[in-house]
Amino acid sequence: MSWWKDGVVYQIYPRSFQDSNGDGIGDLQGIIDRLDYLNDGTEKSLGIDAIWLSPIYPSPMYDFGYDISDYESIDSTFGDLKIFQKLLKEAHKRKIKIIMDLVVNHTSHLHPWFLDSRSSKKSGKRDWYIWKDPVDGKEPNNFLATFGGKAWTFDEKTGQYYYHSFLTEQPDLNWRNPEVKEAIFKMIQFWLDMGVDGFRLDVVNLYYKDAQWRDNPSRIFKGIRPFDRMVHIYDRDQPEMHELLRDLRTLVDKKKDRMTVGEVMMDPPGKVEIPASYYGNNDELHMAFNFAFLYSFWGASNFKKVVDEWEAALGEDNWPNYTLSNHDFRRHITRYHTRKLDMERAKLTALMLLTLRGTPFLYYGEEIGMESERVPKKDLQDPLGITYWPFHPGRDSERKPMCWDGGKNGGFTTGNPWLPLYSEYENRNVKKMQEDPGSLWSFYRDIIHFRKKSKALKDGSIVTGIDSSEKVFYFTRAKGKEKYHIVMNFSSEDTPFNLPEDWIPKKVILDNYEPGIQDRTIVESRDIHLKPCHALLIEG
Ligand code: GLC
Ligand code: CA
């Protein structure tokens, strides 16, 4: 099996993982220093197989690296190309793959291509971006920018508007221009040749916009942001995207063992057919993110629906993946918060994420139960929060420094952290939780290592089910003679559960109420008793 199918991917937000030089911002040397934490080849470490790095290229940081001013270098905040190559080498030594973020829907407004493009209508790079004349003295159409305001900015000097899906400082590239494609493919080749194992493609369904620039219709549904009150039919998901992705697949597959995973914005949220369409017939992206869990409420039937719909949408040829948290959304522990059962729920979702059929994507800090916490207005960094405060507090709350220990600044930095620390860092930190075999951290570690040894969990079939009270979501993973049942009580009450008739349970292996790997034979009866938010992995 390819590494990207059976491995566990861990997303690092580089600014927030580990600072090595005391400037309060995480960096590549910091990541190198923590590689053994992620996977030192023994069962003592977490045991992940790949790292996805949010952008580390030179950037003026209007959107913290998602606005790139040079695609073939490293921002000095994080290090340089030499340190990056060292990271690659050190990671590979530990059998950890490196996935880079590829942000090519737009560049920074300070990228030399855009500086050239905006300098004159006659610039050779003019058509590398999207420039349009005013229509009746106004914007060419009604498209809105994701972070607020119109998607068009008027440029006094040349009397035209340019298009930006996000900030004014993030002009969109014109993918209809073959020179753009050529330049970007060349850059991708540069990283492939260096030995990078894969790419996460930022907002991959936005590259092409309607060829006729028609207005988007509006929606009755009232979202907080005007952007959410628009039906996005003309500013994304254009048919041209598929041909481009087939060409990209050909390029990437020329090298052995490389992968692509795309971020697909879903409209409406949760519609899994949209990301599924970007797999093509296993000839476009290797994977597209399924963000349905990010939008679904807690509950056995809600969660089962996500899995069933995704499995159905992908069909036989395409490989699933699951995500509970990332740098753009409230962390799942916070979304599913209940005062008393936080840890039980966090363990339940960990067991689910790491045993579903497909690639699990973890977000740094979820293994220690870091919560999203509102950052005070004076400390806000994220432009999204600044624009929509107080209605949308922005994404700083899920980008807080990793908590390594209970000491000063949680072991993240000796300087002033760029974002305030998670308030519970003295209780929830790596050091403390590693010492406790019953902690959330230990539970993640135990599942990951158990999964490594199981063909059924990595590569087996999946059959899902729900009990008649709709409180218990369960599924079975099987390959050859190996079989596991995962049982999850989503209710906050004690719940009786009658094992399905065709199960022949041997023993309980993992239990979110007990530390460590279990070896408990189920003998009493087929009626088992589940505690609130109880989760079990049962050998069948
Ligand atoms: C993606 C990124 C997000 C960024 C945006 C613009 O959604 O995940 O963090 O702000 O693209 O590049
Ligand atoms: Ca630093």
Side-chain angles (χ1 to χ4, degrees):
M1 255 185 128
S2 322
W3 63 269
W4 55 269
K5 287 189 168 175
D6 64 15
V8 175
V9 186
Y10 186 95
Q11 181 191 355
I12 288 181
Y13 195 69
R15 293 183 81 79
S16 299
F17 199 58
Q18 178 68 65
D19 177 22
S20 74
N21 62 353
D23 67 355
I25 303 174
D27 44 54
L28 297 186
Q29 185 56 51
I31 298 174
I32 297 174
D33 296 342
R34 294 294 185 182
L35 285 174
D36 278 340
Y37 163 77
L38 297 172
N39 193 345
D40 69 358
T42 76
E43 296 203 357
K44 281 194 191 126
S45 64
L46 194 57
I48 57 98
D49 305 283
I51 295 170
W52 150 30
L53 292 172
S54 278
I56 51 174
Y57 315 90
S59 161
M61 303 287 170
Y62 285 83
D63 190 17
F64 295 105
Y66 284 95
D67 50 323
I68 296 171
S69 52
D70 178 357
Y71 283 113
E72 298 188 8
S73 185
I74 304 292
D75 195 278
S76 56
T77 317
F78 300 121
D80 54 28
L81 269 179
K82 255 203 166 134
I83 300 184
F84 177 74
Q85 281 166 325
K86 184 170 156 217
L87 168 63
L88 208 55
K89 205 171 126 209
E90 289 296 320
H92 286 167
K93 229 198 250 170
R94 294 167 177 79
K95 301 206 167 60
I96 300 173
K97 305 281 183 183
I98 297 286
I99 301 168
M100 296 281 272
D101 220 308
L102 204 64
V103 188
V104 295
N105 172 70
H106 45 268
T107 68
S108 158
H109 68 312
L110 299 182
H111 194 293
W113 296 344
F114 187 70
L115 293 177
D116 189 338
S117 180
R118 92 186 296 180
S119 68
S120 143
K121 274 175 142 172
K122 294 205 188 82
S123 151
K125 295 259 181 333
R126 185 68 170 179
D127 194 41
W128 281 42
Y129 292 84
I130 299 163
W131 292 97
K132 290 259 174 275
D133 286 327
V135 176
D136 301 331
K138 286 205 211 100
E139 291 79 15
N141 76 359
N142 74 350
F143 289 3
L144 296 174
T146 320
F147 297 159
K150 300 257 163 63
W152 297 99
T153 289
F154 187 67
D155 197 48
E156 294 284 342
K157 188 168 176 210
T158 52
Q160 285 191 311
Y161 284 94
Y162 70 87
Y163 184 80
H164 50 91
S165 302
F166 295 89
L167 299 171
T168 4
E169 293 84 4
Q170 293 169 297
D172 281 33
L173 284 163
N174 176 16
W175 275 92
R176 295 183 186 277
N177 181 342
E179 286 172 22
V180 168
K181 177 177 166 190
E182 200 186 311
I184 298 290
F185 275 34
K186 219 176 114 225
M187 173 271 282
I188 293 173
Q189 191 67 52
F190 168 82
W191 293 106
L192 286 171
D193 291 343
M194 196 178 292
V196 161
D197 303 286
F199 300 100
R200 174 262 186 194
L201 281 75
D202 192 59
V203 293
V204 74
N205 59 331
L206 266 53
Y207 297 5
Y208 287 92
K209 294 76 175 158
D210 180 39
Q212 300 168 50
W213 294 97
R214 282 168 282 191
D215 282 346
N216 274 330
S218 53
R219 194 196 297 283
I220 311 287
F221 158 75
K222 289 211 184 346
I224 294 172
R225 305 178 296 170
F227 181 83
D228 298 324
R229 290 180 229 138
M230 186 167 256
V231 191
H232 295 277
I233 50 174
Y234 293 130
D235 55 354
R236 59 174 77 161
D237 296 317
Q238 301 303 303
E240 291 87 343
M241 196 60 215
H242 298 282
E243 194 189 326
L244 175 65
L245 287 179
R246 282 192 289 273
D247 291 348
L248 177 72
R249 178 68 174 255
T250 309
L251 177 80
V252 172
D253 279 356
K254 276 196 193 126
K255 293 262 183 185
K256 231 181 94 209
D257 250 7
R258 314 297 169 96
M259 68 85 96
T260 53
V261 54
E263 180 204 23
V264 176
M265 294 172 81
M266 289 191 270
D267 188 44
K271 195 168 174 207
V272 292
E273 288 75 14
I274 305 173
S277 73
Y278 290 99
Y279 284 75
N281 296 311
N282 193 17
D283 60 353
E284 297 184 25
L285 292 172
H286 295 81
M287 294 190 284
F289 281 119
N290 171 14
F291 289 158
F293 279 131
L294 299 167
Y295 299 107
S296 58
F297 292 108
W298 185 256
S301 54
N302 295 339
F303 274 48
K304 177 173 186 289
K305 190 166 163 254
V306 170
V307 177
D308 291 348
E309 287 183 355
W310 186 225
E311 284 278 342
L314 288 178
E316 293 265 301
D317 290 342
N318 296 326
W319 186 249
N321 68 85
Y322 293 94
T323 300
L324 292 171
S325 290
N326 67 30
H327 64 296
D328 291 328
F329 290 84
R330 294 286 151 279
R331 287 176 176 271
H332 64 274
I333 194 164
T334 306
R335 298 200 311 274
Y336 305 141
H337 179 76
T338 59
R339 194 170 292 253
K340 270 200 194 139
L341 293 164
D342 253 19
M343 278 300 165
E344 287 72 16
R345 284 193 178 188
K347 287 178 181 170
L348 180 155
T349 47
L351 181 63
M352 179 192 76
L353 180 68
L354 291 159
T355 57
L356 279 170
R357 194 181 82 92
T359 307
F361 281 81
L362 308 182
Y363 183 50
Y364 85 96
E366 74 172 75
E367 72 275 30
I368 52 170
M370 276 174 72
E371 297 167 281
S372 288
E373 284 175 330
R374 220 174 157 104
V375 168
K377 193 172 179 210
K378 66 171 184 25
D379 296 323
L380 284 187
Q381 303 281 343
D382 179 25
L384 185 63
I386 293 165
T387 316
Y388 287 109
W389 183 269
F391 303 105
H392 192 309
R395 300 164 295 181
D396 295 317
S397 42
E398 31 279 345
R399 298 174 177 179
K400 290 191 159 191
M402 179 72 175
C403 308
W404 296 102
D405 57 47
K408 191 172 172 245
N409 294 327
F412 165 70
T413 181
T414 52
N416 290 321
W418 78 288
L419 277 175
L421 243 71
Y422 168 46
S423 63
E424 287 292 312
Y425 77 94
E426 286 175 1
N427 297 317
R428 295 188 188 177
N429 63 61
V430 168
K431 187 159 180 282
K432 188 163 179 184
M433 294 175 99
Q434 281 181 328
E435 286 161 5
D436 172 6
S439 70
L440 179 63
W441 187 88
S442 301
F443 197 65
Y444 267 91
R445 192 264 325 264
D446 291 343
I447 309 167
I448 292 173
H449 288 282
F450 188 78
R451 174 195 156 93
K452 271 190 209 301
K453 288 174 265 175
S454 163
K455 282 221 169 71
L457 291 181
K458 288 189 296 194
D459 191 22
S461 58
I462 185 166
V463 178
T464 63
I466 192 162
D467 74 324
S468 58
S469 70
E470 301 210 341
K471 289 179 180 165
V472 185
F473 167 36
Y474 55 86
F475 54 88
T476 298
R477 301 293 315 279
K479 188 166 177 95
K481 282 191 190 138
E482 209 193 352
K483 194 180 262 184
Y484 294 105
H485 308 293
I486 291 85
V487 178
M488 295 161 291
N489 176 19
F490 278 73
S491 125
S492 303
E493 278 131 41
D494 290 286
T495 306
F497 179 64
N498 190 242
L499 297 179
E501 264 170 33
D502 55 338
W503 289 13
I504 311 165
K506 289 191 190 128
K507 57 186 181 187
V508 172
I509 306 259
L510 283 157
D511 179 336
N512 67 341
Y513 274 82
E514 300 291 337
I517 298 286
Q518 312 293 299
D519 190 9
R520 223 162 67 216
T521 316
I522 305 181
V523 272
E524 322 94 61
S525 77
R526 302 187 66 83
D527 292 320
I528 61 171
H529 166 90
L530 296 172
K531 297 182 188 119
C533 295
H534 206 166
L536 298 170
L537 181 125
I538 299 170
E539 190 181 336

